[in-house]
Amino acid sequence: MIILGIDPGTRRIGYGIVKEEKHALSLLAAGILKIQSNGDVDALMETKAELDKLIRAWYPDALAIEKLFFAKNRKTALQVAQARGVILLAAREKGLPIHEYAPNEIKLRFTGFGGSDKKAVAKMVRLTFRAPDLKIIDDATDAIAIAVCALQDKVR
């Protein structure tokens, strides 16, 4: 089973593609969607195009995404909500089941503490995948953790 994990954002959208086969996890790919547009609507279109490319390249069985939490900055929260909507639309158009996880749930399940910081999540990603030299941005490690949560649930 292959899960595409997404850590939504406005211009930095982390992704992690994780595979489970015979109870063994493997990290297939991780990174940041390349959103170059400055305009909000153009950035949303670019988000969808980049996500469509990922889905076509990896054929995931499901998409796992972080739920939106209320931030202090309302403008940022609204922009992330719009990007999330585009991501959910792209997944649904491709027929992917969608699984959503709250930030503290992801951290609790992945690190054992719901208030973990991004460094702790990144450390657990390196330990889980036996990749001590893995150098990827924290948005991508968060996305990997989200994908692992979905695999723990054996989503279908």
Side-chain angles (χ1 to χ4, degrees):
M1 171 173 273
I2 297 174
I3 303 293
L4 170 56
I6 296 288
D7 181 26
T10 55
R11 299 301 191 275
R12 281 185 16 175
I13 299 168
Y15 70 88
I17 302 168
V18 177
K19 180 178 183 177
E20 182 186 38
E21 189 170 45
K22 297 180 183 176
H23 304 292
L25 290 178
S26 55
L27 177 59
L28 301 178
I32 303 296
L33 294 183
K34 295 175 176 84
I35 310 302
Q36 312 265 332
S37 299
N38 290 325
D40 290 342
V41 175
D42 290 338
L44 292 172
M45 289 175 60
E46 206 172 332
T47 296
K48 182 164 182 321
E50 289 296 314
L51 195 64
D52 286 345
K53 284 183 205 172
L54 264 182
I55 293 169
R56 281 192 309 271
W58 293 100
Y59 299 101
D61 297 297
L63 179 128
I65 188 168
E66 186 176 80
K67 287 181 183 176
L68 185 63
F69 62 96
F70 289 96
K72 292 177 185 175
N73 185 332
R74 289 184 189 174
K75 182 179 179 191
T76 300
L78 288 171
Q79 288 174 329
V80 173
Q82 289 175 333
R84 238 181 131 265
V86 167
I87 293 163
L88 295 173
L89 172 66
R92 186 58 80 211
E93 281 182 347
K94 299 291 190 235
L96 296 179
I98 298 167
H99 304 276
E100 302 177 80
Y101 299 92
N104 60 340
E105 177 186 6
I106 297 160
K107 293 171 186 173
L108 177 63
R109 290 173 64 176
F110 201 70
T111 70
F113 176 58
S116 293
D117 63 8
K118 289 185 174 288
K119 287 181 183 179
V121 173
K123 181 178 181 178
M124 285 305 297
V125 164
R126 288 186 196 95
L127 289 170
T128 300
F129 293 96
R130 296 180 180 99
D133 297 328
L134 183 65
K135 302 269 191 250
I136 53 176
I137 195 163
D138 56 11
D139 297 298
T141 55
D142 288 352
I144 294 166
I146 295 163
V148 171
C149 286
L151 284 171
Q152 288 171 344
D153 290 342
K154 301 287 189 217
V155 299
R156 299 268 177 227

